[in-house]
Every structure is written in C-alpha cells, then in structure tokens.
Amino acid sequence: MTAQLLTRIDHVGIAVRDLDASIELYETTFGLTVASRETNEGQGVREAMLHVAGPPGEASYVQLLEPLAADTPVGKFLAGRGEGVHHIGYGVVDVAAALAQLEADGVRLVDERPRHGSLGASIAFLHPKSVGGVLTELVQTAAR
Ligand code: V0V
Ligand code: CO
C-alpha cells in the first residue's frame, strides 16, 4: 500500500478568457470572495483565488486563470478546448518529498522541482498523461 500523499483539495483551476468577467461571475453567482490576485510570469497566467471554505493554510479555492499569451499552458488549453476545468490542485505535506516518491513510482512529472505558486505556496505539476487525463498540481501551502 502507498502511504496517502494527498491531504485535501486545495483548488480547482479553471481556464478563462477574461479574468475580470469570470471573477464577477463567481462573485455574483456563488457569493465567493477574492482572496488574492497575482500575475505569475513563470506559469504564464494572471490568476485569482476565490475562497470557498476553510481557514488559511487549509482552505479550498476556485482558481481562475487567464493566459498572459497564446503560447502558454493556459493559452494553448483555451485554443484547443475552450474555457473550462484546467487542473486540480491537491494539498501535500511536503511537495519535494512527494515529487521524489512519485518519480520513483514512475509517474511523469512536469516539474522536477517545486515552483512558486499562489498565496506563497510551493507547487509542482504532474503530467495529465500519467494521471488519467487530469493535469494534477501538488500544493504545499506557505508556512504560517
Ligand atoms: C494539455 N493536455 C491536457 C491539459 N493540457 N490534458 C488535461 N488537462 C490539461 N490542462 C493534453 C493535451 O490535450 C494533449 O493531449 C497533451 O496534453 C499535450 O498538450 P499540448 O497542448 O501539446 O501541451 P504541452 O505538451 O505543451 O503542455 C501540456 C502541459 C502544460 C501539461 C505539460 O500545460 C504544463 O506544463 N502545465 C503545467 C503548468 C500550468 O498549467 N500552469 C498554469 C497554471 P493529446 O492531444 O496529445 O492527447 S498556474 C497555477 O495553477 C498556479 C500558479 C497555482 O496554482 O498556484
Ligand atoms: Co493551480
């Protein structure tokens, strides 16, 4: 048996064409509140985290992602599939340790090392071809 790596659902990442319009949609439809807005050049996105549940460090969010350019992961996704669910971000205790274990288990990694993510988190992506077609993100939240 494999020890449980995923501790919770941190966020659902949704590819959108217009970040401001999508924030407005989630605010007015569901009453959600924006917890953060960031531009992440390394990931090629402008994004917002809308809080759904839980206290900081254990919270879950909807992450709305607008591409900075066509030739970025979210830009290519929008061109190929249109707006919709782009990835799932799961909480892990230690993202570097999780990557090492998954790589040893033969899972295809997108990121060999953790990257900078929203709200100060350390993140890393697993390739959708290794996870049943789902782009999967590991999230280690910032130490409080
Ligand atoms: C592509 N594919 C996907 C997919 N994107 N499948 C499921 N979900 C997705 N989101 C499939 C695509 O349909 C193709 O399948 C195949 O992968 C190759 O697609 P491609 O368009 O040629 O794309 P690639 O290979 O150039 O790039 C795909 C990967 C890329 C997954 C490697 O999107 C990537 O590096 N993603 C990780 C970074 C990222 O997504 N950043 C934005 C979020 P077929 O047609 O061959 O079957 S940033 C974020 O979440 C942050 C900052 C945060 O949470 O804090
Ligand atoms: Co994400």
Side-chain angles (χ1 to χ4, degrees):
M1 277 291 283
T2 302
Q4 185 172 328
L5 274 182
L6 309 179
T7 58
R8 60 201 177 76
I9 294 173
D10 185 274
H11 64 270
V12 177
I14 299 175
V16 305
R17 294 212 157 83
D18 182 333
L19 183 60
D20 293 326
S22 299
I23 289 171
E24 170 88 12
L25 176 74
Y26 277 79
E27 285 175 338
T28 60
T29 306
F30 302 118
L32 297 186
T33 304
V34 174
S36 72
R37 287 185 69 138
E38 296 178 38
T39 296
N40 189 321
E41 301 276 351
Q43 298 292 342
V45 292
R46 286 208 304 144
E47 52 90 7
M49 294 290 254
L50 287 89
H51 181 258
V52 178
E58 295 169 27
S60 61
Y61 302 90
V62 173
Q63 181 177 49
L64 302 176
L65 303 152
E66 181 192 284
L68 292 175
D71 186 23
T72 59
V74 175
K76 288 169 77 174
F77 182 92
L78 282 174
R81 303 196 191 193
E83 292 187 307
V85 175
H86 179 258
H87 67 268
I88 309 287
Y90 295 101
V92 293
V93 173
D94 181 336
V95 66
L99 283 177
Q101 179 181 323
L102 290 163
E103 186 166 40
D105 290 346
V107 174
R108 184 169 162 196
L109 310 181
V110 172
D111 298 307
E112 299 275 336
R113 295 178 288 106
R115 313 280 174 196
H116 163 74
S118 311
L119 297 163
S122 283
I123 63 169
F125 285 92
L126 311 179
H127 201 282
K129 295 291 174 199
S130 262
V131 195
V134 178
L135 177 59
T136 299
E137 178 185 344
L138 307 179
V139 181
Q140 179 183 344
T141 54
R144 274 165 292 166

